[in-house]
Short mmCIF file of all heavy atoms in Angstrom, two decimals:
data_model
loop_
_atom_site.label_atom_id
_atom_site.label_comp_id
_atom_site.label_asym_id
_atom_site.label_seq_id
_atom_site.Cartn_x
_atom_site.Cartn_y
_atom_site.Cartn_z
N GLY A 1 10.46 4.47 -26.05
CA GLY A 1 11.97 4.68 -26.39
C GLY A 1 12.60 5.73 -25.43
O GLY A 1 13.71 5.87 -25.42
N ASP A 2 11.72 6.67 -24.82
CA ASP A 2 12.28 7.66 -23.97
C ASP A 2 13.05 6.93 -22.70
O ASP A 2 12.39 5.99 -22.09
CB ASP A 2 11.22 8.52 -23.40
CG ASP A 2 10.74 9.42 -24.38
OD1 ASP A 2 11.37 9.67 -25.47
OD2 ASP A 2 9.66 10.18 -24.06
N GLU A 3 14.05 7.45 -22.38
CA GLU A 3 14.90 6.96 -21.24
C GLU A 3 14.35 7.77 -19.99
O GLU A 3 14.31 8.91 -19.91
CB GLU A 3 16.39 6.99 -21.41
CG GLU A 3 16.84 5.98 -22.35
CD GLU A 3 18.39 6.03 -22.42
OE1 GLU A 3 19.07 6.85 -21.87
OE2 GLU A 3 18.92 5.13 -23.17
N VAL A 4 14.23 6.98 -18.94
CA VAL A 4 13.75 7.53 -17.64
C VAL A 4 15.00 7.07 -16.50
O VAL A 4 14.99 5.85 -16.26
CB VAL A 4 12.40 7.06 -17.09
CG1 VAL A 4 12.06 7.66 -15.79
CG2 VAL A 4 11.36 7.25 -18.19
N VAL A 5 15.65 8.10 -16.13
CA VAL A 5 16.58 7.74 -15.06
C VAL A 5 15.91 7.72 -13.71
O VAL A 5 15.10 8.64 -13.32
CB VAL A 5 17.67 8.88 -14.97
CG1 VAL A 5 18.71 8.63 -13.73
CG2 VAL A 5 18.61 8.84 -16.26
N VAL A 6 16.15 6.55 -12.97
CA VAL A 6 15.37 6.40 -11.76
C VAL A 6 16.24 5.94 -10.67
O VAL A 6 17.11 5.18 -10.88
CB VAL A 6 14.17 5.38 -11.91
CG1 VAL A 6 14.65 4.14 -12.50
CG2 VAL A 6 13.31 5.15 -10.71
N LEU A 7 15.98 6.47 -9.34
CA LEU A 7 16.80 5.97 -8.36
C LEU A 7 16.45 4.63 -7.88
O LEU A 7 15.13 4.30 -7.57
CB LEU A 7 16.67 7.00 -7.07
CG LEU A 7 17.12 8.51 -7.35
CD1 LEU A 7 16.88 9.20 -6.10
CD2 LEU A 7 18.42 8.66 -7.98
N GLU A 8 17.44 3.74 -7.72
CA GLU A 8 17.30 2.26 -7.40
C GLU A 8 17.79 2.10 -5.97
O GLU A 8 18.77 2.63 -5.59
CB GLU A 8 18.01 1.55 -8.41
CG GLU A 8 17.89 -0.03 -8.20
CD GLU A 8 18.84 -0.72 -9.02
OE1 GLU A 8 20.04 -0.44 -8.94
OE2 GLU A 8 18.40 -1.76 -9.61
N PRO A 9 17.26 1.40 -5.12
CA PRO A 9 16.00 0.58 -5.20
C PRO A 9 14.82 1.43 -5.39
O PRO A 9 14.69 2.61 -4.87
CB PRO A 9 15.88 -0.28 -3.96
CG PRO A 9 16.74 0.42 -2.89
CD PRO A 9 17.77 1.24 -3.54
N TYR A 10 13.73 0.85 -6.00
CA TYR A 10 12.55 1.70 -6.32
C TYR A 10 11.25 1.05 -6.03
O TYR A 10 11.11 -0.20 -6.05
CB TYR A 10 12.49 2.19 -7.79
CG TYR A 10 13.32 1.34 -8.78
CD1 TYR A 10 12.82 0.04 -8.99
CD2 TYR A 10 14.29 1.80 -9.50
CE1 TYR A 10 13.41 -0.73 -10.05
CE2 TYR A 10 14.91 1.09 -10.55
CZ TYR A 10 14.47 -0.27 -10.67
OH TYR A 10 15.05 -1.04 -11.67
N TYR A 11 10.22 1.82 -5.84
CA TYR A 11 8.90 1.38 -5.49
C TYR A 11 8.48 0.71 -6.85
O TYR A 11 8.73 1.03 -7.92
CB TYR A 11 8.00 2.60 -5.24
CG TYR A 11 6.63 2.50 -5.08
CD1 TYR A 11 6.15 1.51 -3.97
CD2 TYR A 11 5.59 3.02 -5.71
CE1 TYR A 11 4.85 1.34 -3.65
CE2 TYR A 11 4.19 2.81 -5.51
CZ TYR A 11 3.92 1.93 -4.49
OH TYR A 11 2.38 1.62 -4.21
N ASP A 12 7.82 -0.39 -6.53
CA ASP A 12 7.68 -1.37 -7.66
C ASP A 12 6.80 -0.86 -8.85
O ASP A 12 6.97 -1.24 -10.08
CB ASP A 12 7.25 -2.75 -7.27
CG ASP A 12 5.86 -2.82 -6.50
OD1 ASP A 12 5.39 -1.66 -6.24
OD2 ASP A 12 5.32 -3.80 -6.28
N SER A 13 5.88 -0.01 -8.60
CA SER A 13 4.98 0.70 -9.64
C SER A 13 5.80 1.39 -10.59
O SER A 13 5.44 1.59 -11.77
CB SER A 13 3.80 1.58 -9.17
OG SER A 13 4.29 2.72 -8.73
N TYR A 14 6.98 1.93 -10.28
CA TYR A 14 7.84 2.69 -11.26
C TYR A 14 8.22 1.78 -12.37
O TYR A 14 8.09 2.18 -13.59
CB TYR A 14 9.18 3.10 -10.50
CG TYR A 14 8.92 4.21 -9.40
CD1 TYR A 14 10.07 4.55 -8.78
CD2 TYR A 14 7.80 4.70 -9.07
CE1 TYR A 14 10.02 5.32 -7.64
CE2 TYR A 14 7.65 5.61 -8.12
CZ TYR A 14 8.76 5.86 -7.29
OH TYR A 14 8.70 6.79 -6.31
N VAL A 15 8.60 0.52 -11.99
CA VAL A 15 9.11 -0.45 -13.06
C VAL A 15 7.94 -0.66 -14.01
O VAL A 15 8.06 -0.62 -15.20
CB VAL A 15 9.62 -1.70 -12.37
CG1 VAL A 15 9.92 -2.72 -13.43
CG2 VAL A 15 10.82 -1.29 -11.70
N ALA A 16 6.75 -0.99 -13.33
CA ALA A 16 5.63 -1.44 -14.22
C ALA A 16 5.13 -0.43 -15.09
O ALA A 16 4.80 -0.52 -16.28
CB ALA A 16 4.46 -1.86 -13.27
N MET A 17 4.99 0.93 -14.64
CA MET A 17 4.54 2.01 -15.50
C MET A 17 5.54 2.52 -16.53
O MET A 17 5.00 2.86 -17.68
CB MET A 17 4.19 3.15 -14.50
CG MET A 17 3.04 2.81 -13.63
SD MET A 17 1.64 1.77 -14.29
CE MET A 17 1.01 2.72 -15.75
N ILE A 18 6.75 2.41 -16.21
CA ILE A 18 7.72 2.68 -17.32
C ILE A 18 7.68 1.74 -18.39
O ILE A 18 7.69 2.02 -19.59
CB ILE A 18 9.18 2.88 -16.74
CG1 ILE A 18 9.38 4.04 -15.72
CG2 ILE A 18 10.18 2.97 -17.87
CD1 ILE A 18 10.63 4.05 -14.99
N GLN A 19 7.52 0.47 -18.06
CA GLN A 19 7.29 -0.57 -19.05
C GLN A 19 5.99 -0.40 -19.87
O GLN A 19 6.02 -0.51 -21.09
CB GLN A 19 7.28 -2.03 -18.49
CG GLN A 19 8.71 -2.29 -17.96
CD GLN A 19 8.66 -3.75 -17.35
OE1 GLN A 19 9.26 -3.99 -16.29
NE2 GLN A 19 8.27 -4.79 -18.14
N MET A 20 4.93 -0.12 -19.09
CA MET A 20 3.61 0.16 -19.77
C MET A 20 3.67 1.28 -20.73
O MET A 20 3.06 1.37 -21.75
CB MET A 20 2.54 0.25 -18.76
CG MET A 20 2.20 -1.10 -18.15
SD MET A 20 0.96 -0.92 -16.87
CE MET A 20 -0.37 -0.65 -17.92
N ALA A 21 4.49 2.27 -20.40
CA ALA A 21 4.61 3.54 -21.29
C ALA A 21 5.44 3.26 -22.46
O ALA A 21 5.66 4.11 -23.28
CB ALA A 21 5.00 4.66 -20.52
N GLY A 22 6.26 2.24 -22.48
CA GLY A 22 7.29 1.91 -23.54
C GLY A 22 8.59 2.62 -23.27
O GLY A 22 9.33 2.61 -24.24
N GLY A 23 8.74 3.11 -21.92
CA GLY A 23 10.07 3.86 -21.77
C GLY A 23 11.20 2.85 -21.42
O GLY A 23 10.80 1.56 -21.28
N VAL A 24 12.29 3.27 -21.29
CA VAL A 24 13.42 2.46 -20.86
C VAL A 24 14.07 3.09 -19.71
O VAL A 24 14.38 4.34 -19.52
CB VAL A 24 14.58 2.60 -22.05
CG1 VAL A 24 15.84 1.84 -21.61
CG2 VAL A 24 14.02 2.13 -23.30
N ARG A 25 14.08 2.31 -18.59
CA ARG A 25 14.49 2.75 -17.28
C ARG A 25 16.16 2.73 -17.19
O ARG A 25 16.74 1.73 -17.61
CB ARG A 25 13.99 2.15 -16.15
CG ARG A 25 14.33 0.64 -15.88
CD ARG A 25 13.46 0.10 -14.76
NE ARG A 25 13.68 -1.42 -14.47
CZ ARG A 25 13.17 -2.39 -15.14
NH1 ARG A 25 12.14 -2.17 -16.05
NH2 ARG A 25 13.34 -3.62 -15.00
N ARG A 26 16.75 3.69 -16.56
CA ARG A 26 18.12 3.80 -16.39
C ARG A 26 18.37 4.01 -14.90
O ARG A 26 18.31 5.17 -14.33
CB ARG A 26 18.74 4.92 -17.18
CG ARG A 26 18.56 4.98 -18.71
CD ARG A 26 19.61 4.10 -19.31
NE ARG A 26 21.02 4.96 -19.26
CZ ARG A 26 22.07 4.38 -19.62
NH1 ARG A 26 22.17 3.12 -20.13
NH2 ARG A 26 23.14 5.07 -19.52
N PRO A 27 18.72 2.92 -14.21
CA PRO A 27 18.75 2.98 -12.76
C PRO A 27 20.08 3.64 -12.24
O PRO A 27 21.10 3.41 -12.88
CB PRO A 27 18.74 1.53 -12.32
CG PRO A 27 19.35 0.81 -13.49
CD PRO A 27 18.83 1.51 -14.69
N VAL A 28 19.98 4.40 -11.21
CA VAL A 28 21.14 4.91 -10.45
C VAL A 28 20.87 4.38 -9.01
O VAL A 28 19.91 4.70 -8.34
CB VAL A 28 21.08 6.41 -10.52
CG1 VAL A 28 22.31 6.88 -9.58
CG2 VAL A 28 21.26 6.93 -11.89
N THR A 29 21.87 3.51 -8.57
CA THR A 29 21.73 2.75 -7.30
C THR A 29 22.16 3.59 -6.11
O THR A 29 23.26 4.17 -6.03
CB THR A 29 22.53 1.45 -7.42
OG1 THR A 29 22.17 0.80 -8.65
CG2 THR A 29 22.17 0.60 -6.17
N LEU A 30 21.20 3.66 -5.12
CA LEU A 30 21.61 4.10 -3.79
C LEU A 30 22.17 2.96 -3.05
O LEU A 30 21.41 1.98 -2.78
CB LEU A 30 20.45 4.71 -2.94
CG LEU A 30 19.70 5.82 -3.68
CD1 LEU A 30 18.62 6.40 -2.84
CD2 LEU A 30 20.54 6.89 -4.16
N ARG A 31 23.49 2.89 -2.82
CA ARG A 31 24.19 1.59 -2.40
C ARG A 31 24.29 1.48 -0.88
O ARG A 31 24.51 2.50 -0.27
CB ARG A 31 25.51 1.48 -3.07
CG ARG A 31 25.39 1.37 -4.54
CD ARG A 31 26.66 1.23 -5.26
NE ARG A 31 26.64 1.23 -6.71
CZ ARG A 31 26.24 0.21 -7.44
NH1 ARG A 31 25.81 -0.90 -6.94
NH2 ARG A 31 26.06 0.46 -8.65
N ALA A 32 24.06 0.28 -0.40
CA ALA A 32 24.25 -0.01 1.11
C ALA A 32 25.73 0.13 1.30
O ALA A 32 26.58 0.10 0.53
CB ALA A 32 23.78 -1.40 1.47
N PRO A 33 26.03 0.57 2.68
CA PRO A 33 25.13 0.77 3.72
C PRO A 33 24.52 2.06 3.99
O PRO A 33 23.68 2.27 4.72
CB PRO A 33 26.08 0.32 4.88
CG PRO A 33 27.37 0.81 4.61
CD PRO A 33 27.54 0.65 3.11
N ASP A 34 25.11 3.07 3.23
CA ASP A 34 24.72 4.56 3.58
C ASP A 34 23.47 4.97 2.55
O ASP A 34 22.72 5.91 2.88
CB ASP A 34 25.81 5.44 3.24
CG ASP A 34 26.93 5.19 4.26
OD1 ASP A 34 26.64 4.77 5.46
OD2 ASP A 34 28.13 5.26 3.94
N PHE A 35 23.29 4.41 1.44
CA PHE A 35 22.24 4.76 0.55
C PHE A 35 22.23 6.12 0.00
O PHE A 35 21.18 6.80 0.20
CB PHE A 35 20.91 4.29 1.14
CG PHE A 35 20.77 2.77 1.44
CD1 PHE A 35 20.63 2.33 2.75
CD2 PHE A 35 20.78 1.92 0.48
CE1 PHE A 35 20.51 1.07 3.20
CE2 PHE A 35 20.64 0.50 0.84
CZ PHE A 35 20.55 0.09 2.15
N ARG A 36 23.34 6.62 -0.23
CA ARG A 36 23.45 8.13 -0.74
C ARG A 36 23.65 8.08 -2.13
O ARG A 36 23.98 7.16 -2.77
CB ARG A 36 24.72 8.74 -0.05
CG ARG A 36 24.88 8.92 1.46
CD ARG A 36 23.64 9.23 2.15
NE ARG A 36 22.88 10.42 1.80
CZ ARG A 36 21.81 10.63 2.42
NH1 ARG A 36 21.41 10.03 3.46
NH2 ARG A 36 21.06 11.72 1.83
#
């Protein structure tokens, strides 16, 4: 149930391990074209 804010796009193991821990991911997107 803990929320984890994570920068998106993200390395795929982040998704898998947050799910395995039972956490909830909250993405913040680095958007093209500058990815800031």
